[in-house]
Amino acid sequence: MKRRTSRPGTDPAPGPLRRTLPLLLQTLLVVALALPAGFAVAPAFLGPAPSAPAPAAPPWHQAPGALAPRGGAAAGSNPEASEPDGIEPLSATAPVPEPGSLAAQLNETLKADGAGNFTGVVQDAVTGEVLFDRSGDALRVPASNMKLLTAAAALRALGPERRFSTRAVAGAAPGSVILTGGGDVLLGAGESVPGAVPGRAGLASLAQETVRALQGGDVSVPVTVLLDDSLFTGPALNPAWNLDDVAAGEVAPLFALAMNSARFDPAITTGPRPQDAAMSAAEAFSAELAAAAAAAGLTVAPGVARVPAGTGGGGDGARVLAEVQSATAGEQVDLMLRSSDNYLAEAIGRMAALASGKPGSNEGAAAAVLQQLEELKIPAATLRAADVSGLALSNQVSARQLADVVRAITSGTDTRLRAGLAGFPVAGLTGTLGDRYTDAATARGAGLVRAKTGTLNTVTSLSGYVVDADGRLLVFSFIGNGLTPGADNRTALDRTASVLAGCGCR
């Protein structure tokens, strides 16, 4: 018997396995050598090694997937959280962009396409430090950026919670009802819609309430409808407006009451407007009154007549039969900024004038805006306000004045102005910025830039605020004048604001 030379458990494999084992070991050796070589020569088969995940953007620099409702939380967020009073979260210690680095980047994007040029100002919202200044004090045509001045003036003069009343009052003649305008140009034809802005006050609801009041008054004659729209004074059309713009529906004669901001159809916000919006509203009220009166056994005489000027009409001494109230001034300012509606802006300006003790006229509205700017310590001596919507080419405002107004709204001491924050269009999401910031050059600003737009034939402007990548709140205003009609100058503004959004700029 042959002596055992191996330890237990190390005996050679018997039979076929013993014969194939060397071949198996050779095969494993080849595979072990081939795999690293394959990785080296053919990385495309496996793709690049996974990179480390990019750090998450801070909360203030994440584009919202949805906008929070006024006073509520955004979809997908904590429903217990309420909308902050201002802009959160921010740190007072966040670094401020270095002016030289910032200017170098902005000068690359803020260039006119063709003729004309841009002015601009960027400020730190907390300290007011000017970080960029290109002819910031030069007076320019601001286009609809003028509405920022109107917004600030209205929120201060009226207060964000002010509502405008449209009343039906008893006239001197038996059975006469005077529809009295109180500045609401967002009336709806139907019933009042609580929570709405356009249509919050409905003429059908006013008519139904009026009939209930008449039923208790033993009316034995046909009811007649009169119109008192004397709250606004002076020319209904501003002489500074181009009549072609009026014909195109950019604006219309101003009255102290109107439906749908002087639109025939609330769903159609372009094209010609009614030229007597107050009478259109009175005729709609008369029709609703006739329908409600028929059900109550009363009749309404056809036709509507205006109360003769100077007769008192539906003044303070008249007996109020019914009343409907508008959305708040704050809500109307938000709508004005978001949609850039000229008619609404002019009406709000006249209401601010009346609240400031001035006439409800073109001149009164402009004077009220200038007064409120001075009270905000924003120098306005050089500013020229030909209207308060920005449609007039004779308006003259500087980028610095506009940036100062934005800073007052975002971070000034008068907290009433915070009510205007929600109205700033959000880049790529809402209002007049809803269809912008959609390409690679402006993607950094999408969802982050909040700004009021302005456009006329040779004018484009953008004024607003943004929290940069470091968490610093910046306010800005850029104005282009003398531009080539039809040239693409909005892109220059959007790229420039996007630089601010992505800025560390140090």
Side-chain angles (χ1 to χ4, degrees):
M1 185 176 191
K2 196 170 183 179
R3 196 168 72 145
R4 187 184 188 97
T5 59
S6 60
R7 294 190 303 274
T10 62
D11 291 337
L17 180 58
R18 182 177 182 178
R19 291 192 296 271
T20 60
L21 185 57
L23 180 60
L24 178 61
L25 291 174
Q26 292 176 5
T27 303
L28 291 174
L29 179 61
V30 171
V31 171
L33 293 172
L35 281 174
F39 294 156
V41 301
F45 287 103
L46 299 175
S51 59
W60 60 78
H61 213 245
Q62 294 179 14
L67 297 180
R70 189 178 182 88
S77 65
N78 179 7
E80 300 296 324
S82 61
E83 185 178 13
D85 182 20
I87 303 166
E88 295 277 348
L90 295 177
S91 170
T93 61
V96 179
E98 195 279 316
S101 176
L102 178 61
Q105 296 190 49
L106 297 186
N107 286 332
E108 286 298 311
T109 57
L110 195 60
K111 298 177 179 178
D113 177 18
N117 57 72
F118 286 99
T119 61
V121 166
V122 179
Q123 290 178 275
D124 178 62
V126 175
T127 65
E129 178 187 357
V130 176
L131 306 175
F132 175 80
D133 186 344
R134 183 194 288 179
S135 302
D137 289 319
L139 294 177
R140 312 282 274 179
V141 181
S144 281
N145 276 203
M146 193 77 183
K147 293 181 176 73
L148 290 169
L149 313 186
T150 305
L155 291 172
R156 283 175 52 83
L158 295 164
E161 300 306 315
R162 172 75 179 274
R163 297 179 187 270
F164 310 146
S165 294
T166 304
R167 297 184 173 97
V169 304
S176 62
V177 173
I178 305 174
L179 177 66
T180 307
D184 186 359
V185 298
L186 298 176
L187 291 164
E191 296 186 357
S192 299
V193 182
V197 182
R200 169 64 178 81
L203 293 173
S205 294
L206 183 66
Q208 292 161 13
E209 188 179 339
T210 300
V211 168
R212 287 192 288 270
L214 291 173
Q215 283 181 293
D218 192 27
V219 176
S220 58
V221 297
V223 175
T224 57
V225 177
L226 301 172
L227 169 63
D228 181 0
D229 57 356
S230 61
L231 185 66
F232 292 171
T233 55
L237 274 179
N238 190 323
W241 292 335
N242 187 313
L243 293 181
D244 289 340
D245 289 334
V246 177
E250 294 295 334
V251 76
L254 261 290
F255 295 97
L257 72 164
M259 295 186 295
N260 316 312
S261 197
R263 290 288 184 193
F264 292 106
D265 185 334
I268 301 176
T269 57
T270 58
R273 301 179 189 246
Q275 296 302 291
D276 191 340
M279 185 56 72
S280 295
E283 290 168 349
F285 170 73
S286 180
E288 293 292 342
L289 189 68
L298 300 174
T299 59
V300 175
V304 178
R306 272 190 167 86
V307 173
T311 61
D316 293 336
R319 179 170 68 93
V320 176
L321 301 171
E323 177 180 3
V324 287
Q325 291 195 321
S326 71
T328 66
E331 290 168 329
Q332 293 190 55
V333 164
D334 283 353
L335 177 62
M336 173 192 72
L337 293 177
R338 189 166 56 253
S339 65
S340 203
D341 188 299
N342 295 318
Y343 197 95
L344 179 59
E346 294 292 338
I348 289 174
R350 282 157 179 70
M351 293 305 290
L354 291 165
S356 302
K358 303 180 186 305
S361 63
N362 298 316
E363 294 79 7
V369 167
L370 296 178
Q371 175 186 326
Q372 293 300 329
L373 292 182
E374 292 288 359
E375 291 180 7
L376 281 168
K377 309 301 182 187
I378 297 173
T382 60
L383 188 154
R384 181 182 178 191
D387 68 11
V388 296
S389 62
L391 188 60
L393 283 169
S394 46
N395 289 316
Q396 293 283 289
V397 185
S398 72
R400 189 181 313 279
Q401 288 164 330
L402 286 167
D404 283 344
V405 169
V406 176
R407 183 172 175 240
I409 293 172
T410 60
S411 15
T413 57
D414 190 340
T415 57
R416 292 174 295 180
L417 299 183
R418 302 289 187 275
L421 282 173
F424 280 73
V426 180
L429 286 175
T430 65
T432 54
L433 286 182
D435 60 353
R436 291 164 63 168
Y437 293 79
T438 58
D439 60 7
T442 57
R444 286 183 297 176
L448 301 174
V449 171
R450 273 82 165 163
K452 179 72 196 76
T453 59
T455 304
L456 292 171
N457 197 31
T458 60
V459 177
T460 188
S461 54
L462 191 71
S463 300
Y465 63 95
V466 65
V467 179
D468 74 7
D470 288 329
R472 198 77 189 185
L473 177 61
L474 308 176
V475 299
F476 62 87
S477 177
F478 305 116
I479 310 172
N481 274 193
L483 304 173
T484 302
D488 182 15
N489 281 294
R490 296 194 317 180
T491 297
L493 293 177
D494 295 347
R495 290 179 63 198
T496 302
S498 295
V499 168
L500 296 178
C503 197
C505 300
R506 289 186 301 281

